[in-house]
């Protein structure tokens, strides 16, 4: 898991807390450096499934980035749960 962004934990799933522009810049940099990148776009079903299935939770924890499913109007990643 990448450590370049702060995280908001929702039921033990660590969503990144960043702007869309910063996230896209980070992903573009990883692409340009030919780094494999595992991105999860988590919705409520994914979060709840991870809560009930430890092996699935471990898979999520291996993601470089876990994002919400939409972006907040101010350009911040918004999971739909967090007060961001």
């Amino acid at each position: 898991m990448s450590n370049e962004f702060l995280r908001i934990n929702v039921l033990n799933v660590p969503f990144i807390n960043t702007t869309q522009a910063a996230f896209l810049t980070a992903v573009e940099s990883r692409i340009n450096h030919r780094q494999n990148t595992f991105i999860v776009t988590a919705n409520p079903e994914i979060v709840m499934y991870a809560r009930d299935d430890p092996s699935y939770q471990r898979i999520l924890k291996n993601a470089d980035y876990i994002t919400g499913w939409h972006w907040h109007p101010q350009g911040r990643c918004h999971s739909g749960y967090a007060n961001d």
Side-chain angles (χ1 to χ4, degrees), residues 33-66:
H33 288 94
R34 300 187 185 275
Q35 291 178 277
N36 291 332
T37 304
F38 177 21
I39 300 171
V40 174
T41 304
N43 60 24
E45 292 82 5
I46 288 174
V47 173
M48 296 307 291
Y49 190 80
R51 189 175 97 168
D52 295 334
D53 187 330
S55 63
Y56 193 72
Q57 178 73 262
R58 283 189 297 276
I59 292 169
L60 291 183
K61 296 264 178 154
N62 285 322
D64 296 297
Y65 307 107
I66 301 175

Side-chain angles (χ1 to χ4, degrees), residues 1-3 5-18 23 27 37-44 46-47 50 56-71 77-79 81 84:
M1 182 166 280
S2 172
N3 290 321
F5 299 120
L6 295 176
R7 305 246 186 278
I8 296 173
N9 281 298
V10 177
L11 298 177
N12 209 28
V13 175
F15 287 86
I16 61 171
N17 183 22
T18 188
F23 174 63
V27 171
T37 304
F38 177 21
I39 300 171
V40 174
T41 304
N43 60 24
I46 288 174
V47 173
Y56 193 72
Q57 178 73 262
R58 283 189 297 276
I59 292 169
L60 291 183
K61 296 264 178 154
N62 285 322
D64 296 297
Y65 307 107
I66 301 175
T67 71
W69 59 92
H70 66 278
W71 292 89
C77 179
H78 180 67
S79 67
Y81 296 106
D84 55 347

